[in-house]
Amino acid sequence: MKGVTKVSHDVYDLHMLILWICVLIGVGVFGTMFYSIYHHRKSKGHTAAQFHENTTVEIIWTIIPTLILVGMAIPATKTLMELDDVQDSEMSIKVTGWQWKWEYDYLDNGIHFFSSLDEASNKARQVGSGIDPRSVPHYLLNVDKPLVIPTKKKIRFVFTAADVLHSWWVPDLGWKKDAIPGFINESWTSVDKPGTYRGQCTELCGKDHGFMPIVVVAMDQPEYDAWVKKTKDEAQKGADLSDQGHDELISKGAGVYAKNCSTCHLPDGKGVPGAFPAITGSAVVKGDINAQTTLVLNGKGGMPAFGKMLKADELAQVITYTRNALGNAVGDEIQPKAIQELLPNKSAAPASKPEAKATAPEKIEPIADMATEALVALGKTVYEGNCASCHQAEGQGMAPMFPALTGSAVVKGDMNAQVNLMLNGKGMMPAFGHTLDAKEFAAVVTFTRNSLGNSVKDAIQPSAIQKLQAALPPAQDDE
């Protein structure tokens, strides 16, 4: 298939060119061979010629294949170089493979979400569901949240994985890329026509490998801009932190469980012996609710960290559900507010922006100084919530896309230069001047310079950051 991008057309044309060259060679070689066999057979009186070598023939059948191979290599090399040319991209999207869903980070505008198999397909695929898969539109090829991109823009993708090998493949784009834990691959695309393009994971990645489809929706720029605004507005609403009744938590938790947990622990909570533990009768689920909450939020072993995937209200609902359903009856619950306090650097719903007033600026009260040890301790939490996804938990980075902080010339160099870089951002590095408060900012700077294999033995105080943030221009909405 030709696909919908210039790259996919070039790959298709290269395939057809090589195919016809091979066909012509095959016709020539086998045609000559069969002609010789038929017309020079022994029954017609022919006898085999007795000779050992012919230098001219040797040269000819060396030169001709060489020229053919060079002729095939030139367009193939050109296409391969085009596939790897991510220069001059107009936006970047980070794709992370999980068992068994995709995580998308729009590095230029801060949009972030997980994309999973859609609810209709997920229900129909269950054994004994009684649902005819043919009645489900795009069965196993649809998702709850598609990747949305603008048309006629060069878009750069960077790929990695959080657990095992995955591979991101949308045939209409003309290529696929492996997503490998601890490693970065990259590619690019530019789609000219609006439309919906579907693909799948093509690397055998575990039990539900066949249930992590990819859907890319290409929109013209005005529609894409409207989607960006709507998505960011929805993200700003955050989680609903109001207290919920016991029965409401359980009812809503059933849906969260079915979408996020039943794949491994099974719809009835019985698990898969030797692979995925049962929820029914589980000592963890029937034990201390705080211990279970910590496990769900932070993950352990093959258990992913759902604190990165779900909102506080969804986490409260699913935890309460597992403790009071699936054969369990602990009788307790946890509220979204309690979950929210355990999620680092996440707010439920940002306060609305105050209206501009033509008044003198408020006097900013300086923040008290903090000990270096306290800054490093706070900075570790800030780093895990804001920096570790790119620079990695131990600061080793992901070459060549995300530089290491361990031994970094920037981190070990002039502190003011590092602070300026973090305040204003550069390239794929976002500007943290408006997203972290002065304490968090000072703490994470101090942490990176005195941990992760670094030992610069200096620190910056929140009051100094406070002054720098006050001098920054107002944050601009990216719409």
Side-chain angles (χ1 to χ4, degrees):
M1 59 184 295
K2 280 196 172 184
V4 295
T5 66
K6 181 181 182 299
V7 166
S8 67
H9 290 176
D10 290 346
V11 170
Y12 178 85
D13 292 340
L14 176 64
H15 170 270
M16 296 308 296
L17 172 65
I18 302 302
L19 172 65
W20 286 116
I21 290 175
C22 292
V23 168
L24 290 174
I25 292 173
V27 169
V29 170
F30 286 101
T32 302
M33 183 177 68
F34 291 137
Y35 175 85
S36 298
I37 292 172
Y38 181 77
H39 287 283
H40 300 90
R41 60 190 185 276
K42 183 178 180 181
S43 62
K44 294 185 69 174
H46 289 281
T47 58
Q50 300 297 318
F51 63 90
H52 293 282
E53 69 276 326
N54 186 307
T55 302
T56 301
V57 172
E58 295 276 358
I59 292 173
I60 291 173
W61 72 35
T62 300
I63 291 177
I64 291 178
T66 300
L67 293 176
I68 292 172
L69 289 174
V70 171
M72 295 166 68
I74 291 173
T77 302
K78 180 181 177 182
T79 302
L80 287 172
M81 291 176 66
E82 182 183 22
L83 280 167
D84 287 335
D85 182 16
V86 299
Q87 300 299 317
D88 302 320
S89 298
E90 298 171 84
M91 62 181 289
S92 298
I93 299 174
K94 180 185 174 187
V95 181
T96 305
W98 293 77
Q99 289 179 310
W100 288 272
K101 59 187 69 182
W102 297 100
E103 179 185 11
Y104 297 114
D105 266 307
Y106 290 65
L107 300 179
D108 302 273
N109 60 24
I111 289 176
H112 168 262
F113 58 88
F114 283 83
S115 179
S116 307
L117 182 69
D118 71 307
E119 185 177 357
S121 293
N122 193 43
K123 287 181 178 179
R125 78 180 181 91
Q126 304 298 333
V127 176
S129 69
I131 301 173
D132 184 354
R134 292 170 295 184
S135 68
V136 179
H138 304 293
Y139 177 62
L140 300 185
L141 289 174
N142 211 6
V143 297
D144 55 354
K145 294 181 180 179
L147 176 68
V148 179
I149 60 174
T151 57
K152 300 177 182 177
K153 270 193 174 182
K154 186 172 183 178
I155 302 165
R156 173 170 167 260
F157 292 91
V158 290
F159 297 92
T160 188
D163 35 48
V164 299
L165 294 179
H166 300 277
S167 192
W168 198 86
W169 179 55
V170 178
D172 281 312
L173 301 187
W175 47 263
K176 75 177 182 72
K177 279 291 179 179
D178 290 341
I180 305 170
F183 189 80
I184 287 289
N185 279 325
E186 60 181 346
S187 193
W188 68 274
T189 194
S190 179
V191 180
D192 291 331
K193 296 191 305 180
T196 300
Y197 309 106
R198 304 178 189 277
Q200 293 172 298
C201 176
T202 57
E203 188 75 41
L204 187 59
C205 58
K207 173 179 173 288
D208 275 11
H209 158 69
F211 308 114
M212 51 183 301
I214 302 155
V215 178
V216 178
V217 177
M219 297 180 176
D220 286 334
Q221 193 65 47
E223 288 77 15
Y224 174 77
D225 291 339
W227 174 83
V228 169
K229 184 178 187 308
K230 178 183 177 183
T231 303
K232 295 179 81 171
D233 287 345
E234 290 175 351
Q236 284 183 341
K237 293 177 182 176
D240 178 7
L241 298 187
S242 60
D243 285 349
Q244 300 177 24
H246 189 74
D247 291 341
E248 182 183 5
L249 286 168
I250 295 174
S251 174
K252 292 182 177 179
V256 180
Y257 179 89
K259 182 177 179 180
N260 297 277
C261 315
S262 63
T263 289
C264 295
H265 299 293
L266 301 190
D268 57 5
K270 293 183 179 179
V272 179
F276 304 109
I279 299 295
T280 304
S282 164
V284 173
V285 176
K286 297 177 73 175
D288 179 20
I289 194 170
N290 294 316
Q292 181 189 357
T293 299
T294 299
L295 174 63
V296 172
L297 263 58
N298 302 313
K300 184 179 180 181
M303 170 83 167
F306 283 101
K308 298 179 180 179
M309 303 182 191
L310 302 177
K311 295 186 292 186
D313 52 344
E314 295 172 321
L315 289 162
Q317 291 157 3
V318 75
I319 290 171
T320 302
Y321 171 78
T322 58
R323 301 176 70 82
N324 296 278
L326 305 173
N328 300 320
V330 185
D332 59 0
E333 64 188 46
I334 191 167
Q335 291 293 338
K337 284 181 183 177
I339 298 289
Q340 188 67 34
E341 292 176 0
L342 300 174
L343 298 177
N345 304 305
K346 288 186 179 181
S347 59
S352 58
K353 296 179 183 177
E355 295 181 5
K357 297 181 180 179
T359 58
E362 277 188 48
K363 183 179 179 181
I364 300 175
E365 292 295 331
I367 302 174
D369 286 352
M370 299 172 63
T372 299
E373 293 77 10
L375 286 169
V376 170
L378 174 59
K380 183 176 187 295
T381 301
V382 179
Y383 179 86
E384 290 172 349
N386 295 272
C387 315
S389 62
C390 292
H391 297 293
Q392 300 301 286
E394 302 299 325
Q396 70 270 30
M398 288 186 180
M401 301 313 306
F402 303 113
L405 298 187
T406 304
S408 163
V410 173
V411 176
K412 297 177 71 175
D414 178 25
M415 181 186 287
N416 294 323
Q418 180 186 357
V419 169
N420 184 64
L421 173 63
M422 292 178 60
L423 282 169
N424 301 298
K426 183 179 180 182
M428 290 173 58
M429 169 79 170
F432 287 102
H434 290 292
T435 56
L436 299 178
D437 64 33
K439 278 187 179 179
E440 293 170 333
F441 198 108
V444 76
V445 171
T446 304
F447 172 75
T448 59
R449 299 176 71 83
N450 295 278
S451 188
L452 305 175
N454 300 320
S455 183
V456 187
K457 297 182 179 178
D458 58 3
I460 190 166
Q461 291 298 332
S463 55
I465 299 297
Q466 192 177 37
K467 293 177 182 177
L468 295 172
Q469 288 179 323
L472 289 173
Q476 299 293 319
D477 288 334
D478 186 5
E479 296 180 1

